[in-house]
Every structure is written in C-alpha cells, then in structure tokens.
Amino acid sequence: METDIIIVGAGVAGSALAYTLGKDGRRVHVIERDLSLQDRIVGELLQPGGYLKLIELGLEDCVEEIDAQQVFGYALYKNGKSTKLSYPLESFDSKVSGRSFHNGRFVQRMREKADSLPNVRLEEGTVTSLLEVKGTINGVHYKTKNGEEFSAYAPLTIVCDGCFSNLRRSLCNPKVEIPSCFVALILENCELPYANHGHVILADPSPILFYRISSSEIRCLVDIPAGHKLPSVYNGEMAAYLKSVVAPQIPPELLESFNSAIEKGKIRTMPNRSMPAAPLPTPGALLLGDAFNMRHPLTGGGMTVALSDIVVLRNLLRPLRDLNDASALCEYLKSFYSLRKPVASTINTLAGALYKVFSSSSDPAQNEMRQACFDYLSLGGAFSEGPIALLSGLNPRPLSLVFHFFAVAMYGVGRLIFPLPSAKRMWMGARMIQVASGIIFPIVRAEGVKQMFFSKT
C-alpha cells in the first residue's frame, strides 16, 4: 500500500501513535528494530494523567491482562519518618489511577492494537538513515534482520526510536546530559508498607524508589548521582555498596527481600538521560517520545508527556487530508511545539527540580530545602494535593508548579525565623530562597519562559 506516514520505532510512543493515526484512516508503516518482548527497567509507572490520555486515545485496555497494578499515590520517607501522599482522584471514575507494570508487556499490547488495523503495517528492521532531498525528508533507508536493504517513502516521517536514537542529530539539538544512574533490582514475594503506592526514600546521596510491577514483584531503583563513582556489578563492588550504604536506609519491612535480591545477583544498571526538547523544524519529519524529550525518570512522567504529545499531534493532523506539501506542513506543525509546552514543560520542570531537592547536598541550605519539602508535603490537604496533582499529570499548570515550589521555600524560611529569629537563621532563610531560585529558574529558562507560560502567544 502507499504510505501516508512512516513511524520509526514501536515503543510506547511509536505504538500509541501508530494506532491513533491508523484509527484516523492514515496509512501507516511502522519500522521497529526488534518486535520481540523487551525487558526494560524504566517506563514501568504510568501516572493517572497518562492513563487519562490512554482513555482519550482508546488504548486504556492495554493495561489489562498484563498483571498491571493500580497506583493511588506515593509514600515519602525521610530519616525513619513517612507520610502518605494520595492522588486527588475523587472526581474521577474508579478505574482512573496510576498503573505500574512490566514495560515490555504494556508495549506488546499496544503493538497488537496497532497491528490489528488493516492500514497499519508493522515491520522489523533497523532504520539506518533518513532520505533527504533538498532539505526535505522523503522517507527512510532501512535494513531487515536478514541483511536486505530497502527504502520506504512517505510525506511525513515521525521518529520515535527512543533515547538511543541515531536519527535525532539532524532533527534537534542533540545535547544529552546524564545526571545519574539507576541500579535496578526485583524484590519478590513481599509487601510494600503502603499498598498500591510508590515509595520514595530520601536517602543519601539521592532517592531510592520502590513500586510494584506485578502481583509478585516489586521494582527497586537506587539512584547514584553522576558525581559519584558507579561501583562495578561484575567484581562484587555493587553488591557490597547496596548492602553497606543502601540497605540501612530502606524501610525494615523490605530489608530481607532487598538483601535476598542482592544475593540472587540480578543487578542491572542504566544511565538516566536528560535530553532537551529543542527541535530543528525539518520539512517531512518530526521527533516524538524519548528521542525528542527526556528528563530524569524520578517522577515517572515520561510516558504521560509522550501520550499527551500524541493527543496534540493527532488533533493537529486530523483536519489535513493531504500531507504532500512538506514546507506548508512543516510550518503548520510548528504549532505542535507551542501547544505541547504547558503539559510537557510542567512535568519536565518538576522532574528536574524534585530530583535536585530530593538529593542530599554539602550545602546546608539545600538540605534545609529538602527537609522543608518533606515537612510541607506531610501537612496534607492543599499542601500535598497541589504538588501531587502536578506530579500525577492531573493538573499540569506551570504557574501552579512555580507557586508550590516557592511555597515550600517560604515554609522553610518561616520555620527558621519564627518564633525566635536570629541573624544566623535569617541568613539561612535567605540562602534557601537563593537555592530555590537556583534550582527552578535555570530549568524554566531551558524549557523556554515564553513557550511555558505564554504558549498561546
């Protein structure tokens, strides 16, 4: 068949996009390097805002029959104290919640949905290059598993081939930062202290995460910041580090299973990438998903951003019958980058800011900010509902994010100077405001102030 749109990659973004565009009647050719079931250690937690996007795209059944677990909020731990933070879901149907699962099972379900449409073709192959003629992308060159080489042509090529994309260099600013590394374990046959909640331990030097990914498995992710040496898995250094440094900081209910997981030796590591969504608009091509936009996965917002982007793109493409005028289409799709900003930039900014706040520091003022954040969220009510609504993707508003971020700082300052202010305490309060500004403003500036707060202009 003739092709309207080529999609490179069939992960979360590529599969969801293929089904969405195919359902709208587009003739879609998806080229994916490996269509077998994948075993990844990220992309395992979908926030409630992302689940709402699944419903909007008609893909909500993809979290069924994969032993997915409902998630209703978070438990936050610091220095032996804990607080439960629930998603504000009172006004939604009972099915609306977060979901945690094996990423590969979720992706396979979406691939099956896309492949069920007669006008969507999934093919296994490795895209080696974009086909460019006079500055316009006309398709892709790809190689099958048996070594045969082919070219595929379409008016629009959408690149969704993940964080390791070798095609993104020509379509965006390819700058990549690695703020930390995740060390991953699977804990078996144990219970989390707070059922159906993700657990975040504000450990030293940086957070530790626990969340259930099946009825019998709990994922543990230990964050190691970029400035710290990553112990070797192969010579036993990592196991020793987990036992001596990490184990004493985790809840006692999980300690036995944690040590057992270390003994089993199935320890995996993965660098966390931060890639700015800085596109170079190119006629005939578009970037989407992790190839285009990736931040620290602490908040689990990546899939929510990708699914939100797909809704925006679908709504833009729906009125267009003909995609063949590449220059006009490119100019038209520039609005995609503005329309996606309020949701995407809020979730992106929160991910970067929370990671810095939740990590320990040699700066006493930043550690005061960390404690203030824990205590502020522990107040409950509006003090926790607002930030959790941002985190969950249910209220992704940039102004609300900035308001709550500085509310945390001001709460910390208030604790320092009342009821008995001193010069030392007032100085520490001023330093806290400086630290808060130094965290949030560079991230907002990188996202784009005008695009983030004034996207309609």
Side-chain angles (χ1 to χ4, degrees):
M1 69 177 182
E2 290 186 8
T3 303
D4 297 315
I5 296 172
I6 293 170
I7 297 175
V8 182
V12 171
S15 301
L17 182 64
Y19 176 76
T20 302
L21 297 179
K23 199 170 60 168
D24 279 357
R26 304 289 185 187
R27 296 165 296 184
V28 181
H29 182 186
V30 184
I31 305 171
E32 162 60 36
R33 182 183 59 82
D34 189 350
L35 288 171
S36 63
L37 180 68
Q38 299 297 299
D39 182 17
R40 299 184 66 205
I41 66 171
V42 290
E44 297 173 320
L45 179 64
L46 180 68
Q47 298 288 1
Y51 182 76
L52 290 174
K53 295 300 178 183
L54 278 186
I55 294 174
E56 199 170 342
L57 296 171
L59 288 164
E60 68 272 21
D61 58 338
C62 291
V63 297
E64 298 172 3
E65 300 176 12
I66 60 172
D67 199 16
Q69 307 295 301
Q70 282 193 289
V71 181
F72 296 111
Y74 284 88
L76 199 60
Y77 283 75
K78 188 176 188 298
N79 297 334
K81 295 182 179 180
S82 66
T83 184
K84 187 171 78 167
L85 311 169
S86 298
Y87 294 136
L89 298 171
E90 296 79 10
S91 59
F92 295 96
D93 183 88
S94 61
K95 287 188 176 181
V96 177
S97 66
R99 292 294 194 284
S100 53
F101 39 65
H102 281 272
N103 174 270
R105 297 175 187 174
F106 178 55
V107 169
Q108 288 299 97
R109 288 279 286 153
M110 290 205 291
R111 287 173 176 175
E112 291 165 7
K113 285 273 287 189
D115 202 33
S116 68
L117 299 176
N119 51 322
V120 175
R121 174 191 172 199
L122 264 69
E123 183 176 8
E124 197 166 71
T126 300
V127 174
T128 55
S129 63
L130 299 171
L131 298 176
E132 182 178 341
V133 178
K134 296 181 179 178
T136 298
I137 306 300
N138 292 327
V140 299
H141 189 70
Y142 68 101
K143 186 182 294 186
T144 62
K145 274 200 169 182
N146 60 16
E148 293 182 280
E149 296 186 7
F150 295 95
S151 295
Y153 299 90
L156 180 60
T157 298
I158 302 176
V159 176
C160 309
D161 57 345
C163 62
F164 298 106
S165 174
N166 63 343
L167 304 177
R168 66 189 301 271
R169 295 177 182 277
S170 57
L171 301 175
C172 75
N173 175 4
K175 181 183 177 183
V176 177
E177 294 180 357
I178 300 178
S180 70
C181 180
F182 269 159
V183 180
L185 297 165
I186 290 282
L187 280 58
E188 297 179 329
N189 301 314
C190 64
E191 297 298 326
L192 288 167
Y194 295 89
N196 299 103
H197 283 66
H199 288 54
V200 182
I201 291 85
L202 303 189
D204 185 10
S206 53
I208 304 166
L209 309 179
F210 292 92
Y211 51 90
R212 188 170 287 283
I213 57 172
S214 75
S215 53
S216 61
E217 298 165 301
I218 292 171
R219 169 68 74 198
C220 170
L221 294 173
V222 178
D223 186 86
I224 299 179
H228 291 64
K229 179 181 178 293
L230 184 67
S232 170
V233 173
Y234 302 104
N235 65 10
E237 284 182 359
M238 182 63 77
Y241 174 84
L242 294 173
K243 287 180 179 179
S244 62
V245 176
V246 178
Q249 302 187 72
I250 69 173
E253 300 95 324
L254 300 171
L255 186 56
E256 184 179 346
S257 295
F258 181 78
N259 287 328
S260 177
I262 297 171
E263 292 299 327
K264 289 179 182 176
K266 294 182 179 179
I267 303 171
R268 300 170 63 184
T269 62
M270 187 203 71
N272 294 319
R273 288 169 170 78
S274 179
M275 296 186 286
L280 301 173
T282 305
L286 193 75
L287 269 174
L288 207 69
D290 282 352
F292 170 55
N293 171 92
M294 200 172 185
R295 297 301 188 278
H296 196 283
L298 171 69
T299 57
M303 289 189 290
T304 299
V305 171
L307 294 169
S308 175
D309 284 353
I310 289 168
V311 171
V312 172
L313 183 59
R314 176 200 66 181
N315 294 342
L316 281 172
L317 290 177
R318 265 184 174 170
L320 304 183
R321 293 186 180 182
D322 186 1
L323 304 177
N324 285 293
D325 188 336
S327 297
L329 180 63
C330 180
E331 194 64 29
Y332 174 72
L333 289 180
K334 284 181 181 178
S335 59
F336 165 75
Y337 303 112
S338 299
L339 294 170
R340 69 179 294 275
K341 267 292 178 181
V343 173
S345 60
T346 301
I347 294 173
N348 289 340
T349 302
L350 185 64
L354 268 189
Y355 178 68
K356 290 185 177 181
V357 171
F358 280 0
S359 298
S360 65
S361 172
S362 58
D363 184 349
Q366 186 161 331
N367 287 329
E368 281 286 346
M369 183 77 177
R370 189 190 199 197
Q371 185 65 51
C373 185
F374 178 84
D375 292 340
Y376 181 90
L377 294 172
S378 299
L379 293 172
F383 301 99
S384 64
E385 283 184 9
I388 293 302
L390 289 163
L391 179 68
S392 63
L394 295 172
N395 180 33
R397 297 179 181 176
L399 284 174
S400 179
L401 168 62
V402 174
F403 170 80
H404 281 288
F405 193 81
F406 279 102
V408 168
M410 293 307 297
Y411 171 77
V413 172
R415 288 191 322 162
L416 285 169
I417 65 175
F418 292 107
L420 296 172
S422 66
K424 183 179 179 181
R425 285 172 169 265
M426 292 177 70
W427 169 248
M428 182 61 73
R431 285 279 296 114
M432 279 186 66
I433 298 296
Q434 184 183 23
V435 165
S437 301
I439 289 174
I440 195 76
F441 288 142
I443 299 173
V444 169
R445 190 160 52 246
E447 289 291 330
V449 176
K450 180 181 177 182
Q451 297 91 329
M452 188 170 173
F453 294 98
F454 309 101
S455 61
K456 290 183 179 179
T457 63

